[in-house]
Amino acid sequence: MVLDDMLWGAASAAYQIEGAPDEDGKGPSIWDVFSHLPGHIRDGQNGDVACDHYHRWREDVELLAGLGVNAYRFSVSWPRVLPTGRGAVNHAGLDFYDRLVDALCERSIAPALTLFHWDLPQALEEKGGWLNRDTAAYFADYAGIVADRLADRVPLWITLNEPFVHMAYGYALGLHAPGHALLTDALPTAHHQLLAHGLAVRELRARNAGRVLLTNNCTPVWPASRAPEDLAAADAYDTLHNRLFNDPVLLGRYPDLSAYGTDLAPVVRDGDLELIAAPLDGLGVNYYNPTRIAAPDAPGLPFQDAGITGYPTTAFGWPVVPDGLRELLAGLRARYGPALPPIYVTENGCSQPDVPDERGTIDDRARIAYLDGHLAALDAARAEGVDVRGYFVWSLTDNFEWAEGHHQRFGLVHVDYATQRRTPKASYHWYREEIARRSG
Ligand code: FCB
């Protein structure tokens, strides 16, 4: 499929929607295991069923068609394709994505495929997960296998989703799978994920896989004050959250990690950075909110989150700062200049309570205001000269929001988890008109 100049889409991720954790030969992922251990997910929920998308995908494709998007971002579950992460291919797993891709193409919706959205095969976690350098090579093999099957129809490939969040929540803080609380000892997972990205880019290029991106979660960092200690803390946080994952890819070098009393020298080998810095067709950026940072008042990390007040908040408690998207994109352009490839906003959206009224309609005005504000910020960034080629709302449907279980609803489409009934919210209709207006 040929991509339009500007993609207007919606996004999802395998573990958050598919369910069917052991159907048709799928192996367990770290999320299948982690979500079943007590105390990890709010109210003891898990993604065993989620949106039952594995069985209801046709209905979800119809919802996308009705929305009028020209692209859909979804992820492939690695253990559905390779049940133990490597070795024998589970063809039934690949067939599922093959059918999905065909159905999207039939409706002129460009498939935007993420290869890794956090659901590592559990068998690889048992070998150290992303702490183990070998995982990068296994990922590249997996990327090649998926591309062999789908590169003829998938025009946009995203290697990894948010390696920062996977490192921070999964390996440093233990809030997400695989649940390790290693603090700064988690840092090698940054390099191994980025190496996996670089190796996968090589496999995708060898198969003419179209446009290739990495998606990073980026945040504008606001110092809590102009005091030198707060400025230094903000700089340290910016380094960890933004630069650690953008600099090596765009500039071919790691930022100075001395604020963390460490560096990546023990894990970086000759040639790694050249692979990691292979040219990309775009940078995927997920934006939710800025982060306000102050100097720490206890030993440990060189920063603390000072919180943001004075803005509306989402159901998650995240501040709603639409102009932060413009600030972020303009800041990336200022920082990287000509090294910055075109930007694809691969996620943006908000969780709201979204309780259906007595007629069953969901009048999610706060989400419409959120999206409207962020699209205005996107327009402003483009007017300032940032080359933006895509915008994907997170998410098409309500889904399983990681440690929050089903408590956070991000969808343009409401899901009643008791019946799996899908109901488009007011924001779905609003976004459809917005897309039509912008593409017409
Ligand atoms: C992002 C994740 C996505 C979703 C949103 C709310 O960090 O990539 O899966 O959970 O946050």
Side-chain angles (χ1 to χ4, degrees):
M1 255 193 93
V2 179
L3 286 170
D4 291 343
D5 292 344
M6 180 68 189
L7 304 180
W8 298 107
S12 70
Y15 185 72
Q16 295 181 274
I17 62 169
E18 286 180 359
D22 50 15
E23 223 166 293
D24 296 335
K26 176 179 170 293
S29 81
I30 54 173
W31 273 96
D32 292 317
V33 174
F34 180 82
S35 66
H36 279 267
L37 296 173
H40 287 152
I41 315 294
R42 205 165 145 193
D43 289 342
Q45 295 176 341
N46 60 59
D48 284 2
V49 177
C51 306
D52 196 28
H53 170 80
Y54 190 73
H55 302 112
R56 295 170 195 261
W57 59 274
R58 288 185 189 81
E59 189 181 347
D60 293 338
V61 170
E62 291 314 323
L63 286 164
L64 286 161
L67 189 52
V69 292
N70 59 2
Y72 172 53
R73 176 177 178 228
F74 64 96
S75 81
V76 170
S77 157
W78 183 349
R80 222 181 258 298
V81 175
L82 290 159
T84 58
R86 52 200 279 249
V89 174
N90 175 36
H91 293 285
L94 265 180
D95 290 347
F96 171 71
Y97 299 105
D98 196 284
R99 288 191 292 268
L100 176 66
V101 162
D102 275 350
L104 292 167
C105 292
E106 273 163 31
R107 285 157 186 77
S108 303
I109 300 167
L113 186 158
T114 306
L115 284 162
F116 180 69
H117 202 124
W118 306 348
D119 45 356
L120 191 80
Q122 175 65 18
L124 296 187
E125 164 60 15
E126 282 154 23
K127 295 168 161 289
W130 289 112
L131 292 163
N132 177 2
R133 184 181 168 96
D134 295 342
T135 300
Y138 302 144
F139 179 73
D141 293 343
Y142 154 65
I145 289 164
V146 179
D148 278 339
R149 184 74 179 266
L150 300 177
D152 59 336
R153 284 157 289 153
V154 172
L156 191 72
W157 294 73
I158 297 163
T159 54
L160 310 175
N161 178 69
E162 299 188 352
F164 168 74
V165 176
H166 192 50
M167 173 188 82
Y169 281 58
Y171 288 85
L173 303 173
L175 301 171
H176 281 182
H180 301 305
L182 300 170
L183 297 176
T184 52
D185 288 342
L187 274 168
T189 66
H191 182 62
H192 295 149
Q193 287 186 83
L194 289 171
L195 179 62
H197 159 76
L199 290 167
V201 170
R202 193 166 67 182
E203 298 302 320
L204 294 171
R205 295 293 185 217
R207 291 162 177 82
N208 290 318
R211 294 189 203 164
V212 180
L213 278 59
L214 166 72
T215 279
N216 277 333
N217 178 295
C218 298
T219 183
V221 180
W222 295 353
S225 79
R226 304 309 297 171
E229 359 6 303
D230 286 342
L231 291 173
D235 189 57
Y237 189 74
D238 183 37
T239 298
L240 188 70
H241 192 130
N242 298 311
R243 296 187 52 188
L244 179 58
F245 296 89
N246 287 329
D247 284 15
V249 171
L250 302 179
L251 304 177
R253 57 174 184 265
Y254 278 110
D256 176 9
L257 291 169
S258 54
Y260 294 88
T262 184
D263 62 38
L264 286 166
V267 293
V268 179
R269 296 193 192 157
D270 283 352
D272 286 1
L273 280 159
E274 286 72 18
L275 278 167
I276 290 170
L280 292 180
D281 304 299
L283 179 68
V285 170
N286 292 353
Y287 169 73
Y288 288 94
N289 51 258
T291 311
R292 193 164 151 268
I293 293 291
D297 48 22
L301 293 169
F303 62 82
Q304 67 179 347
D305 191 327
I308 290 179
T309 51
Y311 290 87
T313 51
T314 71
F316 227 136
W318 298 352
V320 178
V321 188
D323 189 60
L325 178 57
R326 185 205 56 77
E327 181 186 339
L328 174 67
L329 299 183
L332 286 169
R333 184 160 177 268
R335 176 170 282 168
Y336 296 106
L340 186 71
I343 299 277
Y344 293 77
V345 177
T346 39
E347 287 181 26
N348 176 238
C350 62
S351 62
Q352 297 294 343
D354 296 335
V355 182
D357 65 19
E358 61 289 347
R359 284 168 301 134
T361 52
I362 300 114
D363 189 10
D364 56 340
R365 287 176 205 187
R367 179 170 292 101
I368 293 174
Y370 181 102
L371 296 175
D372 195 37
H374 286 76
L375 286 179
L378 190 84
D379 293 340
R382 295 176 88 185
E384 286 180 28
V386 182
D387 183 359
V388 182
R389 308 270 178 101
Y391 175 86
F392 293 78
V393 172
W394 183 269
S395 185
L396 174 66
T397 57
D398 293 337
N399 56 49
F400 181 82
E401 177 47 39
W402 310 114
E404 286 286 301
H406 287 301
H407 290 285
Q408 305 295 340
R409 294 182 176 272
F410 276 88
L412 296 166
V413 176
H414 181 270
V415 176
D416 176 339
Y417 294 110
T419 61
Q420 288 296 340
R421 188 172 159 184
R422 277 97 160 118
T423 308
K425 304 176 191 176
S427 59
Y428 173 96
H429 302 292
W430 176 87
Y431 189 44
R432 184 188 58 222
E433 309 238 307
E434 193 63 22
I435 294 171
R437 190 175 69 73
R438 286 168 173 271
S439 341

